[in-house]
Amino acid sequence: MARIRLAPLPSLTQTRYVIHLSNGKRLVLFRLPTIEPPKSTSKSAPARNESNGWSYYAMEAECPHAGGPMQDSSIDIEDSAYIVSCPWHAYDFNVETGESSVGIKACTFAVDVTGEEGVVVEYGDRDDGVEVEVVRLEAVSEELKLKKSSSGRVNGRGNANGNKVKEQEEDMPVRYLDDDATVCEWCAHILNTSNPEHKIELTAHLFKIFTEREGTDSPMVIGDRSGVALPDLPPRDGVKDVNRTAVPKPGRGGTQRSRINMLHALANIEQWAIDLAVDICVRFAGFQTNAADARGLPRAFFHDWLKVANDEAKHFSLLRTRLEELGSYFGALPVHHGLWDSAKVTAHDLRARISIIALVHEARGLDVNPVTIDKFRKAGDGESVDTLEIIHNDEITHVTTGHRWLTWICGQEETDPVEVFRGNVQKYFRGPLREPFNTEARLQAGLDKRYYENLAGYDGVQPA
């Protein structure tokens, strides 16, 4: 049995790490709070993978179903065991045994933290007689890049290149709601927040407290739309909102100016995506399926879309930071609110909202992201490539989320999700779904060609 030493125990402080091995394979290391044994169980010696209240688990980094990134999985506790669910298709695995409720099994590896070697993974036999070693231990971070300053004014200052860099600083500190505020009240508060720095901070905070309170004696109350005010158009500070045709063309990425235009356009999309993800939670909180045994939305629905909102907040923060590193700032160029227009025409029907926002607009991102990343790579802009690759991988999971919940609704209502999706596109989306399609990424997210091939929306004026 090969023992692969990872790192000294005190140096591991985050929840997840990707282990890159010399044989080209990757594992995920989870560092999770030790689950207390039932009170009726006699106290025994700590397991080899436990130390100071933490337990360590290792498993293969690719889901055995379709290769989804297990480092981005959600984590739950069932029957006093940690269960991780793949972000692409929600296949669940016990992190200790690899067993799954769907009948497939993931490879897991014993972890030993009791010796002087630090954290050790028992990997198995040597690879073709060659000792396997750790090439890199990569922390998986969910941190947002929040601004440090908070003096209260919007100033312009020159950088080393003589460009104006906009410092958006806050007139007032970010306003948090009370501990007894409902999910719907929080979502409405975020939608009505115009300061982009406040919006991303509040979004991250909401997802954090929702997940922390799940499984406790005081989970967050979902609430409903009564008593909350939803804006017709979420307000924006520091940007000029224009018609889509008045937004500057991004160019081909050959110049820094062109790449700044691209990043600015993407940042605008990500900020609207925050609002779209929280809006779906509050606007459809009272949704009931059309079935004899009508059902409301399970709590997992709200968890999934708050996770999407948290991802979008992270994406906006990364893009905003990258713009500033390039000597610009978010708000330097005009923007449009085309995504919100799609939200307004689907505000009456959750099926239509998921179809158009998640399975058309988000899926279109999967098609164009690789082309955009390639432009930045050819220009030698590795920092932007890293940011865009994070966004692309996350967006596969967002399309997966949309597919999962449209499929759930259709399963309850005994309808065909492909037919429901195509019908909604024909009614609420203007023009054809344009090729080329990223068929691989779409399939990873659950969309086979039946969904989008030879499909066009309406032509002309939006139907009433």
Side-chain angles (χ1 to χ4, degrees):
M1 180 69 67
R3 289 172 58 86
I4 303 176
R5 184 179 184 275
L6 300 183
L9 189 60
S11 69
L12 300 181
T13 58
Q14 294 194 207
T15 302
R16 312 158 194 239
Y17 294 83
V18 178
I19 307 166
H20 298 263
L21 300 178
S22 58
N23 62 357
K25 296 182 180 179
R26 301 185 309 135
L27 312 179
V28 179
L29 178 73
F30 293 97
R31 175 181 180 267
L32 303 170
T34 298
I35 300 173
E36 294 295 330
K39 293 181 180 179
S40 60
T41 303
S42 59
K43 198 170 183 179
S44 58
R48 289 193 305 151
N49 70 322
E50 297 177 16
S51 178
N52 296 322
W54 296 94
S55 295
Y56 298 78
Y57 306 90
M59 68 182 300
E60 58 184 318
E62 287 77 32
C63 175
H65 168 236
M70 295 307 297
Q71 69 267 23
D72 297 326
S73 56
S74 60
I75 303 173
D76 299 291
I77 299 177
E78 295 180 8
D79 298 327
S80 298
Y82 281 112
I83 305 296
V84 296
S85 298
C86 174
W88 284 359
H89 305 113
Y91 279 51
D92 60 307
F93 302 94
N94 182 304
V95 293
E96 191 165 12
T97 67
E99 299 288 345
S100 172
S101 65
V102 294
I104 62 176
K105 188 173 182 179
C107 292
T108 58
F109 307 89
V111 180
D112 185 357
V113 299
T114 60
E116 296 180 356
E117 300 171 278
V119 180
V120 173
V121 173
E122 296 181 350
Y123 183 62
D125 296 333
R126 296 185 177 187
D127 190 49
D128 295 327
V130 178
E131 185 172 350
V132 178
E133 298 177 342
V134 174
V135 175
R136 186 168 83 258
L137 190 64
E138 176 187 1
V140 179
S141 176
E142 292 292 328
E143 282 190 30
L144 303 171
K145 290 193 175 181
L146 298 173
K147 284 184 178 292
K148 305 291 184 185
S149 56
S150 58
S151 68
R153 290 181 300 278
V154 177
N155 296 323
R157 61 178 172 85
N159 68 0
N161 298 320
N163 298 319
K164 280 286 185 179
V165 178
K166 191 174 187 179
E167 285 187 359
Q168 284 191 325
E169 300 176 330
E170 298 139 11
D171 292 328
M172 296 289 290
V174 61
R175 184 172 73 86
Y176 290 89
L177 300 185
D178 296 334
D179 290 343
D180 58 353
T182 66
V183 169
C184 286
E185 288 170 337
W186 268 104
C187 290
H189 179 46
I190 292 169
L191 285 167
N192 284 290
T193 296
S194 58
N195 185 301
E197 300 306 315
H198 291 188
K199 187 182 290 287
I200 60 177
E201 189 170 341
L202 291 169
T203 302
H205 180 74
L206 172 57
F207 180 64
K208 180 175 183 290
I209 59 176
F210 183 89
T211 54
E212 285 180 345
R213 290 172 58 177
E214 283 297 278
T216 71
D217 294 334
S218 58
M220 288 189 73
V221 175
I222 301 300
D224 54 40
R225 290 180 57 182
S226 63
V228 301
L230 301 184
D232 185 58
L233 180 70
R236 292 285 187 267
D237 284 348
V239 295
K240 181 181 179 181
D241 192 355
V242 299
N243 186 280
R244 184 194 298 265
T245 58
V247 176
K249 301 297 182 184
R252 299 182 178 181
T255 66
Q256 180 164 305
R257 179 179 179 181
S258 174
R259 294 193 297 277
I260 286 173
N261 286 357
M262 290 183 186
L263 294 173
H264 196 280
L266 291 171
N268 178 54
I269 291 171
E270 298 297 340
Q271 190 177 8
W272 282 112
I274 301 171
D275 287 328
L276 291 167
V278 296
D279 183 78
I280 202 172
C281 292
V282 58
R283 190 170 300 275
F284 299 103
F287 174 85
Q288 294 280 320
T289 56
N290 291 330
D293 183 18
R295 290 189 59 184
L297 294 167
R299 293 184 66 87
F301 174 90
F302 299 93
H303 172 275
D304 283 0
W305 290 106
L306 293 179
K307 174 62 166 66
V308 171
N310 186 70
D311 287 346
E312 308 293 16
K314 177 181 69 175
H315 298 168
F316 176 78
S317 74
L318 293 172
L319 290 165
R320 186 260 292 126
T321 299
R322 187 63 192 137
L323 285 168
E324 294 172 356
E325 291 169 349
L326 291 172
S328 186
Y329 59 90
F330 183 69
L333 298 170
V335 299
H336 67 84
H337 59 266
L339 272 177
W340 192 255
D341 290 341
S342 291
K344 290 175 69 174
V345 299
T346 59
H348 65 291
D349 184 3
L350 178 58
R351 305 162 198 81
R353 170 64 64 86
I354 294 174
S355 296
I356 303 305
I357 297 300
L359 304 186
V360 173
H361 289 300
E362 286 265 19
R364 183 58 181 161
L366 303 186
D367 302 333
V368 302
N369 285 343
V371 177
T372 303
I373 292 170
D374 188 55
K375 290 179 179 178
F376 280 82
R377 182 176 287 110
K378 288 179 178 177
D381 189 349
E383 292 85 353
S384 295
V385 168
D386 291 343
T387 292
L388 295 174
E389 286 183 338
I390 290 171
I391 292 171
H392 178 67
N393 290 332
D394 284 347
E395 286 180 350
I396 293 175
T397 72
H398 300 172
V399 180
T400 301
T401 298
H403 177 262
R404 177 162 61 248
W405 287 108
L406 182 63
T407 300
W408 182 85
I409 294 169
C410 292
Q412 297 295 315
E413 298 176 343
E414 298 184 350
T415 56
D416 183 347
V418 175
E419 292 181 2
V420 170
F421 167 74
R422 293 180 71 93
N424 282 320
V425 171
Q426 291 164 352
K427 189 171 183 180
Y428 300 111
F429 184 75
R430 183 173 182 174
L433 271 61
R434 300 188 184 278
E435 299 184 37
F437 299 117
N438 187 340
T439 55
E440 180 181 0
R442 283 172 173 258
L443 189 59
Q444 288 172 343
L447 300 182
D448 60 50
K449 293 181 179 181
R450 295 176 302 152
Y451 280 87
Y452 53 83
E453 278 196 337
N454 302 315
L455 178 60
Y458 65 89
D459 184 17
V461 179
Q462 168 71 29

